Every structure is written in C-alpha cells, then in structure tokens.
Amino acid sequence: MIIVIRLLFLICSMYACTISLIAQTRTVQVLEEGWAFKKGKSLDAFKIEFNDLKWEQVTVPHDWAIYGPFDKDIDKQNIAISQNNENVASEKTGRTGSLPFIGTAWYRNTFEVPSFETGQTVILLFEGVMSEPEVYLNGKKIGEWKYGYSYFYFDISNALKKGKNTLAVKASNPEFSSRWYPGAGIYRNVSLIVKNHESIDQWGTFITTPFISDTVARVNVKTQVTGENITLKTTIYDADKKWVATNSSTIQFGKSFNQNLKVEQPKLWSPETPYLYTVVSQVYVKDELKDELTTRFGIRDVKFTAENGFQLNGETTKFKGVCLHHDLGPLGTAINKAALRRQLTILKDMGANAIRSAHNMPSLEQLDLCDEMGFLFLAESFDEWKKPKVKNGYHRFFDDYAEKDIVNLVHATRNHPSIVMWSSGNEVPDQWGAEGVKRAKKLQDIFHREDPTRPVTVGMDQVKAVMESGFASLLDVPGLNYRVHLYEEAYEKFPQGMILGSETASTVSSRGIYKFPVVHEKEKQYPDLQSSSYDLEACSWSNLPDEDFVLQDDKDWVIGEFVWTGFDYLGEPTPYDNYWPSRSSYFGISDLAGLPKDRYYLYRSRWNKKEETLHILPHWNWEGREGEITPLFVYTNYDSAELFVNGKSKGIQKKNKDTPQQRYRLMWMDVKYEPGEVKVVAFNKEGKPVAEKEIKTAGKPDQLVLSPDRKIIKADGKDLSYVEVSVVDKNGIPCPIATNQLKFKVTGKGRYRAACNGDATSLEQFHLPTMKLFSGKLVVLVQSTIEPGKIELTVSGKDLKTAKVILNSKD
C-alpha cells in the first residue's frame, strides 16, 4: 500500500524575490517575475554584465511559441507515420501544431537571497523546460538537462552569492523533435530552496502504508537526510489539522530514517472520498530545529491480481480514464492551476475517475489537483526509447538519461495517492526484437527499485510482436493501445490474467459539425477539414467508443480504459495531417476550448451514474435539407426513449445488444428534417416517463450570452475565469451554426488572456482580442491581476446585441 508525499512550496505571488518561511528553517523562492526573454541565439547572454534591457519582460511559467502565428512551413515533415500504418511518405503540415516552437531562446533573471548564510544548502529546482536546457549562474554553467518533460535540480550552494545573483537559461527546440506540439521555454515553475546543511534531501521522503484495516493503518515514513547527530520528529495531522500520531527517532541507516506511525480509524483516499492527511517532518540537532517539511498524503490500498483485476481499498474498480497531453489549449504548455482544475472539473462531471499523462511526465500541479479532486493516475515517462520515432527525439538521450529521468519522476511524485501505476513507454518501436525486451525489463526494474509499491505498464500497439517476443509477458500490467480485435488472443497468451486499455477509441469529431449520410467510416475526410460529430468516424488503426464499452462491460479481465483523448490538443490533426490549415487534434471528448462535444455525453451516460444524462444530436438548423434523411441520436443513461418531431412521434427506441452502437445509443435513423422542435421523452425501467429534453430550430443570431465558469477568482495575477460565449436568436434559442466575428474587452482589475473556439482549422491567434464563433460558441479567458476588485468583460459583434459580465477578484 502506498501513501503520498509532496513537497509543499509556499508560492509568492507578488514578487519573485519574496521569501516564504517554513518554521524559519527553509525558504522557498518561486522565480515568477523579473524574467527577461529573447528568442534567438546569443553568445554572451549567460554573462553577468550582459545588457538585456531591450529584451521582453515575461513571467514564468512561459511558453514562447503559443502566441504564433500559425505557419504551415513550421516543422513541415515528409514522413510516413508508422503509428498511422503509413508505408509511403507524404508531406505533413500541422503535425506539431504549426506554432513557432523551433529554435533557441534565452531567459535571464536577477534575484537576491538575503537569508543565505555560509554552510547552508541551496537547491535550484526546475519543474520543466522545453527543451535541452543549459543553466548558468553568475556567468558560469552549473548544469544542463536534456528531456523537456523532466523535473531536475542543481545544488548551487557554492555558486550562489550574497546579494544579487544572475541566472541565465538557454532552451533549444530542434526541428523534428516531437509528434505533437511540445511547447517552448520555461513552461513550469522554477524555485530556489534555501535550507540548513542538516536537512531533508530533495524529494527525500517516501511514505507507504503496509497495513490497513477498518480500525488502524500503519504508516511507514522513510526519510533521507543530510547531517550528523540528527533527531527526526514526524507528526501526522488529519484534514482538519488535528494531531493524529508522532514518532521521534535518532536511529539512521546511512542517510535514511525508517519510522512507523499508527493512524486509528483511518479515512481512506479514493476518487469518491479523496481524503488527505498531512505529515510534518522536523529535523533537530539537539534541541535546535534545523529543517521542517510539510507533506500531504492519502491512505489507500492498491492491488492488481488476475482474480480481481485492479482493486482500490479492497473493491474491484475499473479505470474510467482519459489520456491528456500537457498543453492547455490557448494557454499552450505554460502551467496554470486554474486551467488544470477546469479540465478536471469537466472530466469529473463526465464520470471519469482516471488520468494518463500522455506521453510525458505530469506537472506537480496536476498531481496535486488529482489528489484533491479524486482521480487515479497513470504516470507515463517516455514516447521514445532507443529506437526513434522522430529524427531528433528522445532516443538521442536514452542511454545517458533514461535512468536519471525515471529516478526524478519517481522521487518527485511517488507519494501522490492519485498515482497507482507507472508507464515506462508508449508505442515504442523497441517492441520488436530481443533488445526491446531487455530495455523493457531494465526500465521496469528501475521503477521497482525506486518504488516497489506500484506496477509498471507500457502502452503497446504491436500486439502480435509483443506476444512472440515476451515483451508483454514481463510487464506487471500489459497495456494495449487499440487492437480490440486482439484482446481475446492477448488474454489467452499473456500470463498476467488482465489487460488494460492503455489507449482506446481515438474516435474523431468536430464539435457541432455533422455529415451525411450517417455511416460508420474510417479515415473519412471532407473538404472543410472537419469530422462528423455523429461519433461514427475513426482512424484506420482506431475504433468507436462502443467497441471498448463492450469489452469493459463484458470482460472482467479488462481492467479499464484510458480514452484518447479527454481534450483536443495542439498538433496531430489526424485524419488531416496532409491538409492545411488543420493544426489541432480531433480526438478529444471535449474540444480545444474545453467545450464538450456530443461524445462527452456518450461517455457521461455510461460513466456518471449519479446524474441524469439526456442529450440530443444533431442540432436542428438544416436549411436546405428539408425532407432529407437526418438521423437523430440520443445519449442517455436511460434504457429507452420516445422521439417527437413537431409533436409527431417517431417511435420508441430501446437499447439492445444487436450492435455495439444500439447497446449504448438510442438512434432514429430514418427521421426526415423539418424545421421546428425535436423532443425526447426518456423512460425508466418500468416504462414510465421520467425526463425530457428538447431542441428547436433557431432564427437569425440576435444577441450574445456570457456564462463564466466562476464569477469570483483570486487576485493573484494567475487565476482565470473561463467565460463561455454563445449566441441566441430573438427568442433566446441557441444558434448552433453561428460563425460571427466577435471582439473582447476587459476592464477593471483583470485582463484579457486568450480566446479559443475549438475549430482545428482556425488560424486566429489565441492572444488577440477577436475571434470567430465556431458552431455557435467560443470561450474567453479572463485573468486576474494582483489587485482585488471588479472585472468587466464586454463581448461585441456586428449585428449582435453587446453582452457584458461582471467578475470579481479577491485576496
């Protein structure tokens, strides 16, 4: 059993040089403000005396490429994509998002450390730099890293000066280095940690619970420390900050303390009840407190067995998960906790209980939120091993860095209760051959050495190859990417007695776009470069959601799935890799703006059993299709429903097992379009009407409607309100095909941050205060300043009534 640990950074929001004290023993200085930035090579930017006064002033986290513009020639590739079963090379545009992420840039920051004293230890921590960062302090190189997704740190105790210090960071993105938009620059936090010599090592705490019962849990805390004659006092507090248990020890095994504490009547962590305890670790020399570290953790029991599949706290649980790339749509890859919380809130409402970080190491903020909100987490490390997928990918660094990157991943995150499994790779070409088997074992052994409490998987797409080579058999949990037709054979040949759908579906759709005739097709393309939201289109190698649902529901040995993907992301515009201006994915259950597609409600109808789902598609504005067949689908958690068009019944449909689609959808395939009203009445198991929903044909767009996800945000300069903008006719009916050009203005104690409409072909830049509606909607992001007060967003458009909304930011 595993418990969770996390270094608690006290983040200063006003000034990068503000010092936060933890029991007056260590300081954590988050370097957010005061950065000078310039894209381009420079021979002298690392020097103290270098003049950066003309450089752009930015805050970190920062993604230099998200501001665009979009350009088809950026990272244009002539390649055959093996993951798409291509054998002949062709020109690809948009594969990495068509944003200017390629090249070198420099960041510089001057800071002071007034509390630094001789003999103290100073750690410079980077949580993510894209990519290949070289770090200089006071004119001297202190280190470098290669993997853009890795956390890393340097001990700069001997390089730091009292007073002003100059930090310079070089980040370089070569061409052909990614299969999706990777972002650019210092996109996660940078922190300076000052502590006494006698202190807890960086990521030096590891908490597990080897025994849990209804009445008691044994908490084991292993702590790595530096120093002599140390007493370590470890105290557990509950979620109400009440004392639970304490253990003091002077016995060390090398640098390690090994302590056991008893928690009576433990409250267990789960997606339904994400209860978090806190450990306070204190380092004393005699009676003097030298270091103190606060860590949240959760008590839960995890098991994977052939008999019961995945069990959490003794209950068999299936993963209802999604894969997430690390970009945040219009924000790019620059980490923002409000954006992450919004994503998880949307997924929670859908009924998802799990996240796979694909195909990279997750942000610490994302893991914190998953701990708090209740999501199981599959933490993935690499998309490449030794054999390349792209010319300048991770394979260049695999031999020198793979072990170091895994160690940092595990040590930095192993105590999050949300993480229940590691993934050492995704669809690596090394699945073929004996060398790949050896690499899989080596990586798995490293994970086991650093964390013996969690299993390891790999997302495998070459199922026949891994059956023959033994690659899949050595894994703790075999993960299959797609290949639903091979599940039965794989189950018979693999010894583990279970299969995880590590990547499933990859159904493609564009929000609010519907194509006719309505048929199940693969690799379907249209002149407008959109995909149909009837949710019947997939890629040559992928499938529809319903095919995975059948396996999840009927096979106990299928322990769950991670759908590709929870949200659209920048890059990989399959099935339009060869067509400009397509530059974002179509795989998302929600679009790039976070607006749910129809498919969202298909998953919700199956995953969220606590709430009613009753969703009709398509929209009912089809001028020119009068009298033509226009099928109507209903996604609902009810078993049957009756459909009415302008008051005339189109019959009752009941879910059945004749086909996967009929099992999970209600479909009226022969409805002919006539303007007016569509209504669906749902029935319970006794055949009684219990719910109804209607949609209507809209008239001409008349006025705008603004719906913020939050009206009160924090005045910290980072918090966001996502304001959904839609348009209605004079009767208040939503206009689902509106494409009006809109303008945005923010006044008061906030600022316009970005906008996004979810259109994978739009070339409008996110940060400019204007954008077209797509399928009648878009989202505006309003960001707080550090001053509390009223914020007003005004949205206007030609021939539309202007709309305003008042937000408030508070300390």
Side-chain angles (χ1 to χ4, degrees), residues 62-86:
H62 177 249
D63 179 353
W64 84 59
I66 191 61
Y67 301 98
F70 295 101
D71 186 340
K72 70 176 294 185
D73 291 326
I74 293 172
D75 209 28
K76 183 165 62 176
Q77 302 179 20
N78 189 16
I79 190 173
I81 301 175
S82 60
Q83 289 79 25
N84 294 358
N85 295 327
E86 294 179 357

mmCIF file of all heavy atoms in Angstrom, residues 62-86:
data_model
loop_
_atom_site.group_PDB
_atom_site.id
_atom_site.type_symbol
_atom_site.label_atom_id
_atom_site.label_comp_id
_atom_site.label_asym_id
_atom_site.label_seq_id
_atom_site.Cartn_x
_atom_site.Cartn_y
_atom_site.Cartn_z
ATOM 1 N N HIS A 62 6.159 30.098 -18.799
ATOM 2 C CA HIS A 62 6.067 30.851 -20.049
ATOM 3 C C HIS A 62 6.253 29.905 -21.226
ATOM 4 O O HIS A 62 7.111 29.032 -21.197
ATOM 5 C CB HIS A 62 7.168 31.923 -20.070
ATOM 6 C CG HIS A 62 7.238 32.726 -21.313
ATOM 7 N ND1 HIS A 62 8.285 32.631 -22.216
ATOM 8 C CD2 HIS A 62 6.402 33.667 -21.808
ATOM 9 C CE1 HIS A 62 8.086 33.487 -23.208
ATOM 10 N NE2 HIS A 62 6.952 34.126 -22.985
ATOM 11 N N ASP A 63 5.400 30.079 -22.230
ATOM 12 C CA ASP A 63 5.506 29.322 -23.482
ATOM 13 C C ASP A 63 5.653 30.342 -24.595
ATOM 14 O O ASP A 63 4.702 31.043 -24.931
ATOM 15 C CB ASP A 63 4.260 28.443 -23.682
ATOM 16 C CG ASP A 63 4.291 27.652 -24.985
ATOM 17 O OD1 ASP A 63 5.193 27.859 -25.808
ATOM 18 O OD2 ASP A 63 3.378 26.822 -25.180
ATOM 19 N N TRP A 64 6.857 30.430 -25.168
ATOM 20 C CA TRP A 64 7.088 31.498 -26.130
ATOM 21 C C TRP A 64 6.375 31.264 -27.462
ATOM 22 O O TRP A 64 6.138 32.217 -28.219
ATOM 23 C CB TRP A 64 8.579 31.725 -26.335
ATOM 24 C CG TRP A 64 9.281 30.833 -27.332
ATOM 25 C CD1 TRP A 64 9.000 30.681 -28.665
ATOM 26 C CD2 TRP A 64 10.431 30.005 -27.089
ATOM 27 N NE1 TRP A 64 9.890 29.804 -29.257
ATOM 28 C CE2 TRP A 64 10.779 29.383 -28.313
ATOM 29 C CE3 TRP A 64 11.198 29.741 -25.965
ATOM 30 C CZ2 TRP A 64 11.856 28.505 -28.425
ATOM 31 C CZ3 TRP A 64 12.270 28.884 -26.089
ATOM 32 C CH2 TRP A 64 12.594 28.275 -27.297
ATOM 33 N N ALA A 65 6.009 30.022 -27.776
ATOM 34 C CA ALA A 65 5.512 29.718 -29.122
ATOM 35 C C ALA A 65 3.997 29.841 -29.265
ATOM 36 O O ALA A 65 3.489 29.931 -30.380
ATOM 37 C CB ALA A 65 5.943 28.309 -29.522
ATOM 38 N N ILE A 66 3.262 29.843 -28.160
ATOM 39 C CA ILE A 66 1.801 29.791 -28.249
ATOM 40 C C ILE A 66 1.222 31.054 -28.888
ATOM 41 O O ILE A 66 0.103 31.051 -29.394
ATOM 42 C CB ILE A 66 1.183 29.562 -26.849
ATOM 43 C CG1 ILE A 66 -0.309 29.237 -26.967
ATOM 44 C CG2 ILE A 66 1.403 30.773 -25.954
ATOM 45 C CD1 ILE A 66 -0.611 27.980 -27.768
ATOM 46 N N TYR A 67 1.998 32.136 -28.906
ATOM 47 C CA TYR A 67 1.491 33.396 -29.454
ATOM 48 C C TYR A 67 1.518 33.415 -30.985
ATOM 49 O O TYR A 67 1.041 34.357 -31.604
ATOM 50 C CB TYR A 67 2.286 34.562 -28.873
ATOM 51 C CG TYR A 67 2.192 34.604 -27.366
ATOM 52 C CD1 TYR A 67 3.202 34.073 -26.569
ATOM 53 C CD2 TYR A 67 1.057 35.117 -26.735
ATOM 54 C CE1 TYR A 67 3.097 34.074 -25.184
ATOM 55 C CE2 TYR A 67 0.938 35.114 -25.352
ATOM 56 C CZ TYR A 67 1.965 34.586 -24.580
ATOM 57 O OH TYR A 67 1.847 34.583 -23.210
ATOM 58 N N GLY A 68 2.112 32.387 -31.585
ATOM 59 C CA GLY A 68 2.045 32.225 -33.031
ATOM 60 C C GLY A 68 2.964 33.175 -33.782
ATOM 61 O O GLY A 68 3.963 33.640 -33.248
ATOM 62 N N PRO A 69 2.604 33.446 -35.031
ATOM 63 C CA PRO A 69 1.404 32.994 -35.736
ATOM 64 C C PRO A 69 1.518 31.555 -36.238
ATOM 65 O O PRO A 69 2.608 30.992 -36.264
ATOM 66 C CB PRO A 69 1.313 33.961 -36.914
ATOM 67 C CG PRO A 69 2.748 34.297 -37.199
ATOM 68 C CD PRO A 69 3.431 34.348 -35.863
ATOM 69 N N PHE A 70 0.368 30.993 -36.622
ATOM 70 C CA PHE A 70 0.372 29.672 -37.232
ATOM 71 C C PHE A 70 1.002 29.764 -38.629
ATOM 72 O O PHE A 70 0.748 30.706 -39.370
ATOM 73 C CB PHE A 70 -1.056 29.131 -37.357
ATOM 74 C CG PHE A 70 -1.726 28.892 -36.037
ATOM 75 C CD1 PHE A 70 -2.651 29.796 -35.532
ATOM 76 C CD2 PHE A 70 -1.437 27.754 -35.292
ATOM 77 C CE1 PHE A 70 -3.276 29.572 -34.322
ATOM 78 C CE2 PHE A 70 -2.054 27.528 -34.071
ATOM 79 C CZ PHE A 70 -2.974 28.438 -33.573
ATOM 80 N N ASP A 71 1.816 28.770 -38.961
ATOM 81 C CA ASP A 71 2.528 28.781 -40.234
ATOM 82 C C ASP A 71 2.701 27.342 -40.710
ATOM 83 O O ASP A 71 3.242 26.501 -39.992
ATOM 84 C CB ASP A 71 3.897 29.443 -40.043
ATOM 85 C CG ASP A 71 4.658 29.620 -41.350
ATOM 86 O OD1 ASP A 71 4.352 28.922 -42.339
ATOM 87 O OD2 ASP A 71 5.589 30.452 -41.373
ATOM 88 N N LYS A 72 2.248 27.048 -41.916
ATOM 89 C CA LYS A 72 2.301 25.671 -42.430
ATOM 90 C C LYS A 72 3.724 25.155 -42.624
ATOM 91 O O LYS A 72 3.965 23.954 -42.655
ATOM 92 C CB LYS A 72 1.524 25.558 -43.745
ATOM 93 C CG LYS A 72 2.177 26.255 -44.926
ATOM 94 C CD LYS A 72 1.396 26.032 -46.224
ATOM 95 C CE LYS A 72 1.404 24.607 -46.655
ATOM 96 N NZ LYS A 72 0.764 24.389 -47.967
ATOM 97 N N ASP A 73 4.700 26.080 -42.778
ATOM 98 C CA ASP A 73 6.074 25.650 -43.025
ATOM 99 C C ASP A 73 6.834 25.299 -41.755
ATOM 100 O O ASP A 73 7.964 24.797 -41.821
ATOM 101 C CB ASP A 73 6.829 26.745 -43.784
ATOM 102 C CG ASP A 73 6.305 26.903 -45.203
ATOM 103 O OD1 ASP A 73 5.905 25.884 -45.797
ATOM 104 O OD2 ASP A 73 6.279 28.041 -45.701
ATOM 105 N N ILE A 74 6.256 25.578 -40.588
ATOM 106 C CA ILE A 74 6.924 25.249 -39.332
ATOM 107 C C ILE A 74 6.905 23.729 -39.136
ATOM 108 O O ILE A 74 5.841 23.112 -39.076
ATOM 109 C CB ILE A 74 6.245 25.954 -38.143
ATOM 110 C CG1 ILE A 74 6.451 27.470 -38.242
ATOM 111 C CG2 ILE A 74 6.792 25.428 -36.811
ATOM 112 C CD1 ILE A 74 5.676 28.262 -37.229
ATOM 113 N N ASP A 75 8.069 23.161 -39.033
ATOM 114 C CA ASP A 75 8.219 21.721 -38.806
ATOM 115 C C ASP A 75 7.511 20.884 -39.863
ATOM 116 O O ASP A 75 7.019 19.790 -39.581
ATOM 117 C CB ASP A 75 7.692 21.346 -37.410
ATOM 118 C CG ASP A 75 8.412 20.120 -36.854
ATOM 119 O OD1 ASP A 75 9.565 19.894 -37.222
ATOM 120 O OD2 ASP A 75 7.806 19.396 -36.052
ATOM 121 N N LYS A 76 7.428 21.418 -41.092
ATOM 122 C CA LYS A 76 6.827 20.634 -42.187
ATOM 123 C C LYS A 76 7.646 19.367 -42.379
ATOM 124 O O LYS A 76 8.871 19.402 -42.427
ATOM 125 C CB LYS A 76 6.791 21.465 -43.459
ATOM 126 C CG LYS A 76 6.133 20.768 -44.628
ATOM 127 C CD LYS A 76 5.783 21.763 -45.743
ATOM 128 C CE LYS A 76 7.011 22.435 -46.298
ATOM 129 N NZ LYS A 76 6.673 23.331 -47.433
ATOM 130 N N GLN A 77 6.961 18.242 -42.465
ATOM 131 C CA GLN A 77 7.659 16.958 -42.497
ATOM 132 C C GLN A 77 7.218 16.140 -43.705
ATOM 133 O O GLN A 77 6.031 16.112 -44.043
ATOM 134 C CB GLN A 77 7.379 16.155 -41.218
ATOM 135 C CG GLN A 77 7.780 16.873 -39.943
ATOM 136 C CD GLN A 77 7.459 16.072 -38.699
ATOM 137 O OE1 GLN A 77 7.287 14.861 -38.760
ATOM 138 N NE2 GLN A 77 7.390 16.745 -37.566
ATOM 139 N N ASN A 78 8.170 15.467 -44.312
ATOM 140 C CA ASN A 78 7.872 14.498 -45.361
ATOM 141 C C ASN A 78 8.148 13.125 -44.765
ATOM 142 O O ASN A 78 9.293 12.678 -44.703
ATOM 143 C CB ASN A 78 8.740 14.750 -46.595
ATOM 144 C CG ASN A 78 8.297 13.910 -47.776
ATOM 145 O OD1 ASN A 78 7.197 13.370 -47.792
ATOM 146 N ND2 ASN A 78 9.148 13.804 -48.772
ATOM 147 N N ILE A 79 7.101 12.476 -44.286
ATOM 148 C CA ILE A 79 7.294 11.298 -43.444
ATOM 149 C C ILE A 79 6.111 10.351 -43.580
ATOM 150 O O ILE A 79 4.993 10.768 -43.894
ATOM 151 C CB ILE A 79 7.450 11.729 -41.960
ATOM 152 C CG1 ILE A 79 7.897 10.568 -41.067
ATOM 153 C CG2 ILE A 79 6.191 12.381 -41.446
ATOM 154 C CD1 ILE A 79 8.210 10.983 -39.647
ATOM 155 N N ALA A 80 6.380 9.069 -43.359
ATOM 156 C CA ALA A 80 5.319 8.077 -43.222
ATOM 157 C C ALA A 80 5.156 7.805 -41.726
ATOM 158 O O ALA A 80 6.112 7.387 -41.064
ATOM 159 C CB ALA A 80 5.672 6.794 -43.959
ATOM 160 N N ILE A 81 3.983 8.058 -41.188
ATOM 161 C CA ILE A 81 3.747 7.913 -39.757
ATOM 162 C C ILE A 81 3.412 6.456 -39.459
ATOM 163 O O ILE A 81 2.338 5.967 -39.811
ATOM 164 C CB ILE A 81 2.619 8.841 -39.285
ATOM 165 C CG1 ILE A 81 2.970 10.308 -39.600
ATOM 166 C CG2 ILE A 81 2.366 8.675 -37.795
ATOM 167 C CD1 ILE A 81 1.863 11.288 -39.269
ATOM 168 N N SER A 82 4.348 5.782 -38.820
ATOM 169 C CA SER A 82 4.152 4.348 -38.561
ATOM 170 C C SER A 82 2.961 4.099 -37.648
ATOM 171 O O SER A 82 2.265 3.088 -37.789
ATOM 172 C CB SER A 82 5.424 3.763 -37.935
ATOM 173 O OG SER A 82 5.726 4.405 -36.703
ATOM 174 N N GLN A 83 2.714 5.013 -36.691
ATOM 175 C CA GLN A 83 1.568 4.828 -35.801
ATOM 176 C C GLN A 83 0.247 4.861 -36.554
ATOM 177 O O GLN A 83 -0.755 4.344 -36.086
ATOM 178 C CB GLN A 83 1.560 5.915 -34.706
ATOM 179 C CG GLN A 83 2.656 5.768 -33.670
ATOM 180 C CD GLN A 83 3.983 6.270 -34.190
ATOM 181 O OE1 GLN A 83 4.034 7.116 -35.088
ATOM 182 N NE2 GLN A 83 5.072 5.757 -33.652
ATOM 183 N N ASN A 84 0.248 5.488 -37.735
ATOM 184 C CA ASN A 84 -0.953 5.547 -38.571
ATOM 185 C C ASN A 84 -0.962 4.483 -39.664
ATOM 186 O O ASN A 84 -1.742 4.562 -40.608
ATOM 187 C CB ASN A 84 -1.092 6.927 -39.211
ATOM 188 C CG ASN A 84 -1.341 8.009 -38.186
ATOM 189 O OD1 ASN A 84 -1.443 7.745 -36.989
ATOM 190 N ND2 ASN A 84 -1.433 9.247 -38.641
ATOM 191 N N ASN A 85 -0.039 3.517 -39.535
ATOM 192 C CA ASN A 85 0.051 2.422 -40.512
ATOM 193 C C ASN A 85 0.403 2.916 -41.909
ATOM 194 O O ASN A 85 -0.020 2.324 -42.916
ATOM 195 C CB ASN A 85 -1.262 1.619 -40.561
ATOM 196 C CG ASN A 85 -1.538 0.903 -39.259
ATOM 197 O OD1 ASN A 85 -0.613 0.478 -38.568
ATOM 198 N ND2 ASN A 85 -2.810 0.773 -38.922
ATOM 199 N N GLU A 86 1.167 3.992 -42.003
ATOM 200 C CA GLU A 86 1.555 4.521 -43.310
ATOM 201 C C GLU A 86 2.863 3.884 -43.769
ATOM 202 O O GLU A 86 3.804 3.728 -42.980
ATOM 203 C CB GLU A 86 1.718 6.044 -43.236
ATOM 204 C CG GLU A 86 0.424 6.773 -42.954
ATOM 205 C CD GLU A 86 0.622 8.282 -42.874
ATOM 206 O OE1 GLU A 86 1.785 8.740 -42.986
ATOM 207 O OE2 GLU A 86 -0.373 8.986 -42.692
#
